[in-house]
């Protein structure tokens, strides 16, 4: 819907803008990104979404846009607004897990709002699922206003069936079924040993990465093996591993995962989940079935 049409409907009383929020729970965005965020809010408005901005988004002289308590308070402000339906985190980086102890999970559980984020926000997505059972969306909303795929991403955002339909190819076995947990492998492992780490029994473990090559992935996978992850999950979904794939690393990520999982673990790969501006979305906390029903006769 165009901005002009939305305004016309508003004037005629025939159209109600939906309400969303924009937050940054991980590293602060530099003020040079403010025009991009303005483009994002303008785009959302054009499709009928009025976006409320957090007070903790920008900083030019610190990785922090606020203290952990301040950033958490801004997120909780959005959850407490009964009109907000979706909360888009536009950040990434390193410090999102600082806010986890400051969140009110009872309020989050009662809210109708769904949290969207990627990369370091894997910590928040999985913590919310673990503490409340609520689903969240692994996706960076800034994709609709940046990069060569922005037009495609806008079409997907307005047609959610396409956005949430990444294509997977099995590289071991032919089927898997379970609730999806995980996300960025480095960030997901920050939750290990905490109350926010999800129960992995019968889950599908999604893993992707921006940075890191063979040594880093090998040690992350070893940690997952040592905490029993691959004895519990029903399958492993591999998104993009940007640095490894760009560097044509050997062994590749599929080989590394097969080594730690063994020959009986279903493993699938996709080029449509990860840090690329053309990436699609996947829902953390929702059951997913790929391939033929693994539980049928």
């Amino acid at each position: 819907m165009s901005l002009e049409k939305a305004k016309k409907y508003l004037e005629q009383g025939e159209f109600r803008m939906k309400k969303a929020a924009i937050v940054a729970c991980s590293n602060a965005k530099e003020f040079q990104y403010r025009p991009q965020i303005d483009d994002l809010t303008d785009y959302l408005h054009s499709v009928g979404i009025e976006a409320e901005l957090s007070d903790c988004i920008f900083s030019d002289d610190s990785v922090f846009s606020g203290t952990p308590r301040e950033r958490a308070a801004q997120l909780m402000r959005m959850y407490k607004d009964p009109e907000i339906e979706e909360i888009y985190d536009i950040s990434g980086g390193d410090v999102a897990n600082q806010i986890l102890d400051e969140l009110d999970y009872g309020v989050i559980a009662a809210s109708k709002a769904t949290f969207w984020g990627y990369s370091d926000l894997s910590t928040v997505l999985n913590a919310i699922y673990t503490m409340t059972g609520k689903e969240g969306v692994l996706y960076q909303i800034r994709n609709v206003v940046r990069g060569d795929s922005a037009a495609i991403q806008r079409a997907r955002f307005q047609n959610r069936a396409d956005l949430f339909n990444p294509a997977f190819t099995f590289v071991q076995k032919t089927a898997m079924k379970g609730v999806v947990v995980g996300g960025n492998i480095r960030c997901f492992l920050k939750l290990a040993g905490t109350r926010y780490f999800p129960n992995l029994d019968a889950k599908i473990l999604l893993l992707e990465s921006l940075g890191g090559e063979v040594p880093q992935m090998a040690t992350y996978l070893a940690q997952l093996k040592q905490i029993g992850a691959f004895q519990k999950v029903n399958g492993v979904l591999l998104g993009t591993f940007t640095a490894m794939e760009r560097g044509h690393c050997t062994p590749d990520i599929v080989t590394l995962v097969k080594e730690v999982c063994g020959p009986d673990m279903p493993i699938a790969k996709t080029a449509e989940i990860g840090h690329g501006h053309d990436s699609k979305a996947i829902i953390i906390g929702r059951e997913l079935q790929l391939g033929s029903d693994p539980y049928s006769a």
Side-chain angles (χ1 to χ4, degrees):
M1 179 181 294
S2 69
L3 181 57
E4 292 74 18
K5 188 178 237 184
K7 288 180 177 178
K8 181 179 178 182
Y9 282 173
L10 280 170
E11 291 168 359
Q12 295 174 347
E14 299 174 2
F15 179 76
R16 182 185 68 84
M17 296 284 283
K18 293 182 178 179
K19 192 172 182 183
I22 294 176
V23 300
C25 296
S26 188
N27 295 29
K29 303 302 295 180
E30 296 177 357
F31 279 98
Q32 66 177 339
Y33 288 99
R34 184 60 196 246
Q36 185 185 83
I37 309 310
D38 291 341
D39 288 344
L40 175 59
T41 58
D42 288 345
Y43 164 70
L44 291 172
H45 195 278
S46 76
V47 295
I49 301 172
E50 192 69 39
E52 176 87 6
L53 265 65
S54 166
D55 293 336
C56 294
I57 293 180
F58 299 103
S59 177
D60 274 336
D61 58 4
S62 173
V63 69
F64 307 112
S65 59
T67 66
R69 180 166 294 179
E70 289 168 342
R71 300 195 319 269
Q74 287 298 303
L75 178 57
M76 292 311 308
R77 176 167 72 87
M78 307 310 181
Y79 273 115
K80 290 174 182 177
D81 186 332
E83 295 184 2
I84 288 178
E85 299 181 24
E86 294 177 337
I87 300 172
Y88 310 124
D89 195 298
I90 59 170
S91 65
D94 301 286
V95 299
N97 66 335
Q98 286 187 312
I99 75 167
L100 298 182
D101 292 340
E102 306 292 341
L103 300 179
D104 187 329
Y105 293 98
V107 170
I108 292 173
S111 169
K112 67 180 179 181
T114 300
F115 187 86
W116 295 49
Y118 85 151
S119 192
D120 195 38
L121 285 310
S122 299
T123 58
V124 177
L125 286 163
N126 285 275
I128 287 174
Y129 168 67
T130 300
M131 301 299 289
T132 71
K134 284 176 69 74
E135 298 175 351
V137 179
L138 188 76
Y139 182 73
Q140 176 51 263
I141 191 66
R142 289 190 293 124
N143 287 343
V144 302
V145 293
R146 64 175 184 173
D148 295 337
S149 300
I152 294 172
Q153 293 285 26
R154 292 182 184 204
R156 289 173 179 168
F157 183 75
Q158 292 166 238
N159 176 14
R160 300 292 177 88
D162 187 30
L163 181 67
F164 293 105
N165 187 32
F168 294 95
T169 301
F170 277 90
V171 296
Q172 185 163 282
K173 300 296 183 179
T174 60
M176 66 178 75
K177 180 180 179 181
V179 172
V180 178
V181 296
N184 181 271
I185 187 170
R186 174 182 68 87
C187 300
F188 180 63
L189 279 168
K190 296 178 190 179
L191 301 180
T194 75
R195 64 183 181 135
Y196 307 114
F197 193 71
N199 182 337
L200 297 181
D201 290 338
K203 301 297 194 300
I204 289 177
L205 179 58
L206 169 68
L207 301 172
E208 60 83 29
S209 182
L210 173 61
E213 297 189 351
V214 173
Q216 290 76 29
M217 295 310 119
T219 194
Y220 297 150
L221 291 169
Q223 184 181 357
L224 284 167
K225 181 180 179 181
Q226 289 158 9
I227 63 176
F230 301 123
Q231 294 178 334
K232 299 175 181 179
V233 299
N234 283 349
V236 177
L237 293 184
L238 299 175
T240 55
F241 285 72
T242 307
M244 285 194 71
E245 291 162 9
R246 184 184 296 137
H248 304 287
C249 293
T250 56
D252 64 10
I253 190 62
V254 171
T255 301
L256 290 174
V257 172
K258 285 182 176 180
E259 287 176 353
V260 296
C261 288
D264 298 324
M265 176 68 70
I267 303 170
K269 183 77 169 69
T270 180
E272 296 186 328
I273 295 293
H275 278 68
H277 294 178
D278 59 345
S279 292
K280 292 186 178 181
I282 193 167
I283 298 176
I284 301 297
R286 178 175 293 184
E287 185 173 84
L288 179 67
Q289 179 175 313
L290 295 176
S292 58
D293 188 348
Y295 304 106
S296 63

